[in-house]
Amino acid sequence: MTGHVTMDRMPPRDETYRSLSYWLDSVPGSLAPADPLPGDVDVDVAIAGAGFTGLWTAYYLAGARPDLRVAVCEAQIAGFGASGRNGGWCSALFPASLAKLSRMAGRDAAIAMYLAMQRTVDEVGRVAAAEGIDCQWAKGGTVHLARSATQLERARAEVAEAREFGFGEDDLRLLTAAEARELAMATDVVGATYTPHCAAIHPARLVRGLAEAVRRRGVAVHEATPVTEIAPGSLRTPTGTVRARYVIRATEGYTPQLPGLARAVVPVYSLMIATEPLPEEVWARIGLVGRPTFGDHRRMVIYGQRTADGRVAFGGRGAPYHLGSAIRPEFDRVPAVFDMLRHTLTDLFPVLADAKVTHNWGGPLGIARDWCASVGLDPATGLGWAGGYVGDGVSTTNLAGRTLADLILGTGSDLIRLPWVNHHSRRWEAEPLRWLGVNAGRHIMGRADRREPRAGRQSRAAQFFRRFMGD
Ligand SMILES: Cc1cc2nc3c(=O)[nH]c(=O)nc-3n(C[C@H](O)[C@H](O)[C@H](O)COP(=O)(O)OP(=O)(O)OC[C@H]3O[C@@H](n4cnc5c(N)ncnc54)[C@H](O)[C@@H]3O)c2cc1C
C-alpha cells in the first residue's frame, strides 16, 4: 500500500484516500470529497476540521438546536486525519494521569474527569447505534499485559493509583499470568491489568457515519476546503470566508500548520500494520475472544485489536518527529517502524510468523506541552478549540464535542466544570530544541524498553525524558 496525499494539492481521488489506512480502505461508500465551500457564507458556528472533534461538536450542536447554522470546513475528506487511521480503541483513557489531574485541579476534579471518560465510551456506542452507524462495536475491555518484572511493577503501580482514587476492581484489575493468558495467549506473560472500559471499533466507519449523520441534521460539511486562517468571527479558505459568531479549531496534529499556532501541539506519528484475516485455528492460539483491545506495560506505547473481520490491527509510536513540526505524506510510512511492529507482534504471538501483512499506514496525533488534552471557548472572541489527546482521542473527542456544544449554548452542565475545560498548556519550545527534546525522548524510551528485562529502575535519561514530556 502506498498513498500520498498532501494538504496543498488538488483533492486526490477516492482510491488515494483508501490507501491512507486499512480502515479507510474497508469503509463502505465513496470517499470522493463532497460539497467544497462555494463562496462566502454566514453561519452561527464554523468548525475547522472534520475529524471526530469537529463532527461530534457539530452533532451535539445540531441535536440540541436544530435551528443553528453550523458549517464544517475540511481540507481533505471527513476522517482524513487520525480519526480515519487510529487503533480503534474507544477507551476511557485520558492522557493525563489521575495523580497529575489531582495536582492540577484537585482530587475530586480528577475523579470526575475519569468518571466522565468512562461514561463517554458508552455514549459513543449509544450514538452509533441510534444513528445506525455500524462501527463494528465490541465492548470487550482492554488487557495490558505485563511481560517482565518491571512491567509487572508498573501494572501494580497503576492499580494502586486507581485504588487511591477510589476506583475498584470493576474499573481496573490486576490479573495473574493465568488469567491474562485466558484473554491473550501471548508469550512471557507474568500478569496484566484489565479494564472493561473500552470498545474495539472500526474508526473510519464511525467518522464517515458521523459525517453523514450531521449532514442529515442540516450541518454543512465542506470537504476539499482548507482553512488558511482562523480569526474571531471567521474562517478563511481559498474559495470563501465563513463568518460566524463562534469559530472552533478541531485540527489536532495539523494545528501547527495554521498561522500563529506553530507551537500549540507537536504532531507525533503513530504507525500501524494490519494482517490478512486469520483462520479460526490461528485465533484459537491467540484468544482475544470478545475482542478486548490489547497492549503491554512497556514505555513506548503499543496497541492492538482483533478486527471484526478477523485481522490483527497493531500499532505503536516510535516514528521520528520532524523538524518544524512538519507533516508530509511520506512520514506516514517508515519501513523500520513497520518492521519493528511486525517483529513485536510476532514476539507476542509467534503463531503470526507466517501471517501476511496487507496494510501499513500512519498519521500524526497532537501532543500539548504538558501532555494534557484540553477543550475551551473564549466567550469574548467566540474562538474555541479542543485537542492534544495524544493517542486517546477516539472517545475523548466525544466528550470534547459535548463540552464545546454546552459552552457555545451556555448550558450549565457538569461537563463545563471538568478540569480540562479552558486548561491552557504552555507552548512547545522553539526549534531546534523541540526537535532535539522530542527525538531524544523517543530514543531514550525505546532503549529503556529494550533493556527492561535487566533493569529494575528507570535510567537517569528516562527520568529526564519523563520530566521533559511533563509526566
Ligand atoms: C495511528 C494512530 C493510532 C491511534 N490510535 C488511537 C486509539 O486506538 N484510540 C484512541 O483513543 N486514539 C487513538 N489515536 C488518536 C486519535 O485518533 C485522535 O486523537 C483523534 O482521532 C483526534 O480527532 P480530531 O478530530 O481531533 O483530529 P483528526 O482526526 O486528525 O482531524 C483533524 C482534521 O482536520 C483537518 N484539517 C487540518 N488542518 C486543516 C485546515 N487548515 N483546514 C481544514 N481542515 C484541516 C484534517 O484534514 C483532519 O481531517 C491514534 C492516532 C493515530 C495517528
Side-chain angles (χ1 to χ4, degrees):
M1 301 283 299
T2 53
H4 294 288
V5 181
T6 68
M7 303 293 279
D8 321 318
R9 279 196 241 129
M10 286 299 289
R13 286 141 46 103
D14 182 284
E15 61 266 30
T16 314
Y17 288 122
R18 291 201 177 275
S19 75
L20 289 173
S21 71
Y22 160 67
W23 313 114
L24 286 165
D25 194 25
S26 58
V27 79
S30 166
L31 296 184
D35 305 325
L37 184 70
D40 294 350
V41 291
D42 289 297
V43 296
D44 298 301
V45 183
I47 299 171
F52 286 137
T53 299
L55 294 171
W56 281 124
T57 306
Y59 180 82
Y60 288 104
L61 283 170
R65 285 276 306 275
D67 58 311
L68 219 58
R69 295 162 305 164
V70 181
V72 184
C73 293
E74 163 57 49
Q76 300 278 347
I77 58 164
F80 169 82
S83 300
R85 313 185 197 189
N86 59 70
W89 290 35
C90 182
S91 77
L93 294 169
F94 187 75
S97 67
L98 281 161
K100 180 168 169 170
L101 284 173
S102 179
R103 285 194 301 274
M104 268 169 53
R107 178 185 161 84
D108 290 350
I111 293 169
M113 188 75 222
Y114 269 54
L115 289 174
M117 285 301 305
Q118 291 179 2
R119 287 191 283 267
T120 297
V121 176
D122 291 328
E123 171 66 4
V124 174
R126 186 194 68 77
V127 176
E131 296 295 336
I133 302 171
D134 178 11
C135 64
Q136 302 177 339
W137 173 272
K139 195 175 176 200
T142 299
V143 57
H144 266 118
L145 304 165
R147 299 175 68 233
S148 69
T150 318
Q151 287 193 15
L152 189 58
E153 257 175 51
R154 221 171 273 146
R156 286 203 179 103
E158 202 176 287
V159 173
E161 180 178 289
R163 296 292 177 273
E164 264 174 51
F165 284 87
F167 291 93
E169 290 268 305
D170 291 346
D171 296 311
L172 187 70
R173 259 190 317 137
L174 193 67
L175 303 185
T176 63
E179 287 170 328
R181 274 196 298 267
E182 269 174 37
L183 288 174
M185 294 171 218
T187 54
D188 299 330
V189 171
V190 293
T193 49
Y194 175 77
T195 171
H197 304 301
C198 183
I201 64 160
H202 183 305
R205 279 171 169 257
L206 180 61
V207 71
R208 300 291 299 171
L210 208 49
E212 285 311 307
V214 301
R215 282 183 167 122
R216 283 197 299 273
R217 285 169 182 243
V219 171
V221 181
H222 300 296
E223 296 181 311
T225 303
V227 170
T228 52
E229 192 190 336
I230 298 180
S234 71
L235 281 184
R236 266 184 234 292
T237 83
T239 50
T241 296
V242 184
R243 283 181 297 266
R245 165 74 182 93
Y246 296 101
V247 174
I248 306 299
R249 164 166 57 82
T251 47
E252 186 58 340
Y254 303 90
T255 302
Q257 298 183 329
L258 287 162
L261 292 165
R263 290 162 62 186
V265 292
V266 286
V268 166
Y269 279 78
S270 199
L271 270 53
M272 294 196 68
I273 59 175
T275 67
E276 61 188 334
L278 303 166
E280 270 313 314
E281 56 269 27
V282 171
W283 279 115
R285 292 170 62 191
I286 294 177
L288 303 178
V289 176
R291 299 179 54 209
T293 54
F294 68 94
D296 70 13
H297 280 278
R298 76 187 65 199
R299 289 190 184 85
M300 191 79 92
V301 172
I302 57 164
Y303 50 91
Q305 72 149 288
R306 176 177 180 165
T307 66
D309 66 347
R311 302 165 189 265
V312 181
F314 185 69
R317 303 214 193 115
Y321 162 79
H322 299 275
L323 190 69
S325 296
I327 294 179
R328 290 223 288 271
E330 56 269 33
F331 300 161
D332 293 350
R333 290 186 163 82
V334 183
V337 176
F338 293 138
D339 287 349
M340 180 276 287
L341 289 173
R342 172 76 214 221
H343 174 83
T344 306
L345 186 59
T346 312
D347 183 44
L348 281 161
F349 303 111
V351 67
L352 292 176
D354 297 327
K356 202 166 135 206
V357 170
T358 56
H359 295 73
N360 54 45
W361 72 94
L365 44 82
I367 304 183
R369 180 62 184 86
D370 62 358
W371 284 59
C372 190
S374 63
V375 54
L377 180 77
D378 177 352
T381 61
L383 286 174
W385 82 94
Y389 310 107
V390 191
D392 301 327
V394 171
S395 50
T396 319
T397 48
N398 172 280
L399 187 58
R402 284 185 284 145
T403 306
L404 278 167
D406 285 353
L407 288 168
I408 289 167
L409 300 176
T411 321
S413 78
D414 288 346
L415 300 187
I416 64 171
R417 283 183 281 279
L418 290 172
W420 72 321
V421 178
N422 290 322
H423 169 76
H424 290 273
S425 306
R426 68 181 193 275
R427 293 190 307 163
W428 280 90
E429 286 75 0
E431 297 288 25
L433 193 58
R434 188 159 82 237
W435 181 87
L436 281 169
V438 177
N439 280 324
R442 185 172 64 89
H443 281 297
I444 291 164
M445 300 288 254
R447 203 175 54 187
D449 279 335
R450 286 191 293 278
R451 290 183 172 178
E452 196 147 82
R454 281 173 283 127
R457 304 179 48 205
Q458 280 184 34
S459 68
R460 294 183 81 80
Q463 288 173 27
F464 163 79
F465 177 62
R466 293 194 84 84
R467 279 202 299 275
F468 182 81
M469 292 313 229
D471 239 13

